Amino acid sequence: MNPMASSPSVEMEEEIVKKKSLWADAWSRMRRNKLAMFGLFLVLLILVLAVFAPLIAPYHYDEQNTKIAFQFPSLAHPFGTDNYGRDILSRVIYGARSSLMVGLVSVCVSSSLGGVLGCVAGFYGGKVDNAIMRFIDVVLAIPATLLAIAIAAILGPGLFNAVISIGLSNVGRFTRVVRGAVLTVRGQEYVEAARSINANNFRIIRRYVLPNAFAPMLVEFTLNISTSILSASQLSFLGLGVQPPMPEWGAMLSAGRKFIRDYWYITTFPGLSIMLTVYGFNLLGDGLRDALDPRLKD
Amino acid sequence: MYRYILKRLLMMIPVLLGVTVIVFAMLQVTPGDPARSILGDDATPAELEAKREELGLNDPVVVQYVRYLADMLRGDLGESYTSGRPVLQEVMRRFPTTMQLTLVGISVSIVLGILLGVTSAVNKGKIVDKVVTVVGMIGISMPAFWIGLLLSQVFALHLQILPATGWYGPRYWVLPALTVGVNGAAAIMRTTRSSMLEVIRQDYIRTAEAKGAPRKSVIYHHALKNSLIPVITVAGLRVGIQLGGAMVVEMIFTIPGLGSYLVDAISFRDYPAVMGGVLVIAVTFSLVNLLVDILYAFVDPRIRSQYGGGKKRKFQKKEVSA
């Protein structure tokens, strides 16, 4: 789990030969991983699309014109038009905004909540650990998808509520990962050393435990973005996510379902967009894991 | 072993009690009035009040919860607000369908996943491996509902060789099971591959090869058997994910299972139905997790010997290291 805990001689040798920090080292390893770089490229591409959507999209996402409804992909409308005559390409580009937003923000919700819970449970151990982890057991007994749907149904549909419900439904998973990472670090000599110079618990967690437990957390963070994007599209597909007219890939698929017999392009392009985005984050997460923990790599 | 299973079954009780508390608390904060959703919009305030009294919604929350628990212990999960029928009966009528879908789906995942994973690990670095890895990564990146739409588009609408809706026999299982299974197959394939690669490096594999054991036997007997633990873990997790994902897949293929029942129940604020459905899924999921842990013991003699001793210290040791 802990990339810095290699044998002392190797570490010293690295100090002398390369003088690279863990992150620079990981980055140089990742740059050699073509798939990971492709993932990074996809993620950045989607990010650019989302941020500059108004500049890139050829039409406004809600520009309706029923005269040109259901048009086959052409030069004017590369992805075709939907049942209201809206340009599918533009809606896909604007849809990146909703998906990325839900993905990133909900992971922030689950990582901050799960991070605090897991850190406290792993670091203090004993009764606190027991209480937190039994609670997490209960939460994890309900499948995350079901939990997200139930919370979204309670909060009502909408972008913000989708973020909250997906974020909450992933807290359990995150807590376990962070607790595991903290547990491996807690027993290390440098934590003992910090305690022996009278550092208080908060300082030990902030200065010594968290930085060393950060790698597995970052990997989980990245991989969690992709699951969150998938859950978000699923919620929208069920009508519990982002509300019209704001385009969202899952909602576009759901709306296009009625027309799949004759107009395949209405559902195919939003589906492909979800797939590529999730694919990008998955590749990036895998690449990060390999780069941060070289022992896992063959 | 039996003591361990018993202990785990007993440990399920507090977890499930916790689930009832969470779901109950969630339903309490849900906006909306069940009395209104039963009687409709043109009910008079007096009628609404009478209905609420009848359903026991005017009592304090704790009283309602204790009453629910007491009924539950007698095997009564209450009556559905919308249909008026006993929830347990309704849930149990739909549960086999969902379970069938989940089991057929997970079988697809396991068979496909292990076969592809082994193939790719054995041919590491070759074209086969590269193709399988890329396809696997794409497989876990596709949302299940899109896979479902694509499958029904191709096989039901255009080729017209398989039915797209309903649940009347094996022919109807193919598309939903594939929909449910593809994500899982990709996940299991990835785990099998990395676990196999880990095992292939071990000394005992070299020994087996050196003593002239046939390649097939080395791959399936020595290597695969030793790489199964993480695969079983992932397969167990997939069951939970698929139970949750069944809600969406059942909607796409209009399968009368627990998932579509729950979606309706949630939208109609049918409290007892939601409680019952979630509870049954949580029980199933917990049992699957237990089954996974028991399977470990069957696959790995080292774990089996830990259970066999029945000494408390060993259990504690295992829990800390996990």
Side-chain angles (χ1 to χ4, degrees):
Chain A
M1 279 281 140
N2 177 10
M4 286 176 97
S6 47
S7 71
S9 65
V10 173
E11 217 169 79
M12 268 172 65
E13 208 176 87
E14 268 182 5
E15 282 290 304
I16 300 161
V17 177
K18 292 192 212 149
K19 276 224 161 168
K20 274 184 185 167
S21 75
L22 162 73
W23 298 103
D25 205 31
W27 170 241
S28 75
R29 262 196 301 269
M30 207 168 105
R31 266 206 335 228
R32 271 178 275 141
N33 182 344
K34 272 183 229 144
L35 276 179
M37 291 321 281
F38 181 58
L40 187 64
F41 166 75
L42 276 180
V43 167
L44 290 178
L45 179 76
I46 308 278
L47 204 67
V48 168
L49 283 184
V51 173
F52 300 105
L55 299 176
I56 300 169
Y59 303 89
H60 185 258
Y61 62 82
D62 202 26
E63 201 178 301
Q64 302 187 9
N65 181 1
T66 38
K67 276 187 211 131
I68 54 163
F70 298 119
Q71 274 199 358
F72 193 79
S74 63
L75 272 182
H77 301 278
F79 288 180
T81 59
D82 69 3
N83 50 327
Y84 295 110
R86 294 176 298 195
D87 180 51
I88 294 178
L89 174 66
S90 306
R91 290 181 62 76
V92 164
I93 293 174
Y94 272 97
R97 288 186 157 189
S98 328
S99 289
L100 274 193
M101 175 110 115
V102 177
L104 289 171
V105 181
S106 65
V107 173
C108 290
V109 171
S110 47
S111 62
S112 47
L113 269 174
V116 171
L117 284 175
C119 232
V120 169
F123 188 77
Y124 291 97
K127 276 185 192 150
V128 184
D129 181 27
N130 224 334
I132 292 179
M133 291 326 283
R134 292 302 79 79
F135 173 69
I136 296 299
D137 281 347
V138 172
V139 176
L140 286 175
I142 308 173
T145 323
L146 180 56
L147 195 61
I149 293 175
I151 301 176
I154 289 173
L155 297 174
L159 180 75
F160 179 72
N161 291 342
V163 166
I164 300 288
S165 50
I166 295 166
L168 287 180
S169 72
N170 285 326
V171 168
R173 231 178 84 182
F174 233 99
T175 308
R176 279 214 171 148
V177 172
V178 174
R179 174 176 174 270
V182 170
L183 272 182
T184 57
V185 172
R186 191 179 65 163
Q188 303 284 337
E189 278 90 352
Y190 51 80
V191 173
E192 223 169 290
R195 187 165 285 133
S196 73
I197 57 167
N198 201 22
N200 62 27
N201 281 337
F202 182 68
R203 188 181 161 81
I204 295 177
I205 292 180
R206 194 169 49 92
R207 288 292 304 272
Y208 302 98
V209 174
L210 275 186
N212 284 295
F214 192 67
M217 282 160 67
L218 182 71
V219 172
E220 180 68 18
F221 190 91
T222 319
L223 292 176
N224 220 312
I225 294 176
S226 58
T227 12
S228 298
I229 291 176
L230 278 181
S231 317
S233 63
Q234 199 167 347
L235 282 185
S236 303
F237 187 77
L238 290 174
L240 288 168
V242 179
Q243 293 303 297
M246 194 61 207
E248 203 276 348
W249 297 332
M252 287 168 76
L253 267 167
S254 173
R257 242 181 96 190
K258 287 174 277 185
F259 314 112
I260 51 170
R261 184 186 288 270
D262 304 307
Y263 311 104
W264 55 270
Y265 38 87
I266 298 183
T267 53
T268 305
F269 292 111
L272 273 175
S273 317
I274 301 175
M275 194 189 85
L276 282 178
T277 312
V278 175
Y279 186 58
F281 277 106
N282 276 336
L283 286 180
L284 187 64
D286 268 17
L288 275 175
R289 181 170 48 208
D290 291 344
L292 288 168
D293 196 348
R295 280 170 311 160
L296 285 176
K297 229 188 155 187
D298 12 278
Chain B
M1 192 72 208
Y2 292 111
R3 276 184 59 180
Y4 173 74
I5 296 177
L6 194 69
K7 187 185 155 190
R8 285 286 306 265
L9 284 174
L10 287 177
M11 269 163 62
M12 268 173 63
I13 295 173
V15 169
L16 293 175
L17 274 180
V19 171
T20 59
V21 172
I22 288 186
V23 179
F24 206 85
M26 275 172 30
L27 291 177
Q28 287 304 319
V29 296
T30 309
D33 180 3
R36 186 170 285 281
S37 39
I38 297 172
L39 295 175
D41 280 338
D42 36 63
T44 64
E47 282 171 342
L48 286 174
E49 188 51 38
K51 195 75 193 170
R52 263 184 234 125
E53 193 62 45
E54 185 198 320
L55 297 171
L57 292 172
N58 286 338
D59 298 332
V61 180
V62 180
V63 175
Q64 288 186 45
Y65 178 69
V66 172
R67 190 167 51 216
Y68 184 83
L69 273 191
D71 284 346
M72 190 181 79
L73 289 179
R74 277 184 254 119
D76 175 12
L77 291 179
E79 273 102 45
S80 157
Y81 289 167
T82 41
S83 69
R85 280 197 287 267
V87 170
L88 187 70
Q89 220 180 319
E90 290 269 281
V91 167
M92 278 312 164
R93 198 164 54 85
R94 288 154 183 273
F95 179 67
T97 309
T98 300
M99 214 50 219
Q100 248 171 9
L101 172 61
T102 309
L103 286 181
V104 180
I106 199 81
S107 314
V108 171
S109 308
I110 291 175
V111 172
L112 266 181
I114 290 188
L115 274 180
L116 289 175
V118 170
T119 315
S120 129
V122 171
N123 296 303
K124 185 178 181 295
K126 293 184 195 153
I127 303 248
V128 189
D129 176 36
K130 286 190 177 136
V131 171
V132 171
T133 327
V134 169
V135 170
M137 193 52 132
I138 291 176
I140 52 167
S141 306
M142 284 174 82
F145 56 85
W146 188 42
I147 300 177
L149 281 185
L150 283 178
L151 286 173
S152 62
Q153 206 173 332
V154 174
F155 292 102
L157 287 176
H158 293 296
L159 299 177
Q160 302 197 331
I161 44 175
L162 287 164
T165 57
W167 192 256
Y168 307 106
R171 253 171 61 80
Y172 292 83
W173 298 356
V174 181
L175 293 184
L178 275 178
T179 306
V180 170
V182 167
N183 285 153
I188 290 177
M189 173 252 133
R190 282 161 51 83
T191 315
T192 313
R193 178 177 181 273
S194 63
S195 175
M196 277 288 278
L197 286 178
E198 185 75 21
V199 169
I200 284 177
R201 281 210 305 259
Q202 303 292 324
D203 289 338
Y204 53 78
I205 298 298
R206 201 176 320 138
T207 311
E209 274 168 356
K211 75 176 185 186
R215 191 176 154 77
K216 240 194 175 138
S217 152
V218 174
I219 293 172
Y220 285 98
H221 190 77
H222 296 85
L224 180 61
K225 220 176 155 189
N226 279 297
S227 5
L228 275 182
I229 291 275
V231 179
I232 294 174
T233 310
V234 173
L237 281 176
R238 292 308 309 187
V239 175
I241 295 175
Q242 294 186 359
L243 276 173
M247 297 175 81
V248 181
V249 176
E250 283 174 12
M251 254 191 66
I252 294 175
F253 293 101
T254 38
I255 296 167
L258 200 51
S260 47
Y261 181 66
L262 264 173
V263 172
D264 289 345
I266 289 176
S267 57
F268 283 115
R269 316 227 172 284
D270 192 344
Y271 291 179
V274 176
M275 280 287 267
V278 173
L279 209 59
V280 169
I281 289 184
V283 171
T284 318
F285 193 28
S286 304
L287 283 176
V288 168
N289 284 339
L290 173 59
L291 197 71
V292 165
D293 283 356
I294 297 172
L295 268 180
Y296 287 161
F298 275 103
V299 176
D300 192 337
R302 282 168 303 185
I303 299 179
R304 189 159 54 225
S305 71
Q306 273 187 356
Y307 295 143
K311 281 180 201 155
K312 259 203 155 158
R313 262 179 57 218
K314 282 187 177 164
F315 280 129
Q316 280 168 354
K317 226 172 151 185
K318 193 193 159 238
E319 271 167 19
V320 168
S321 63

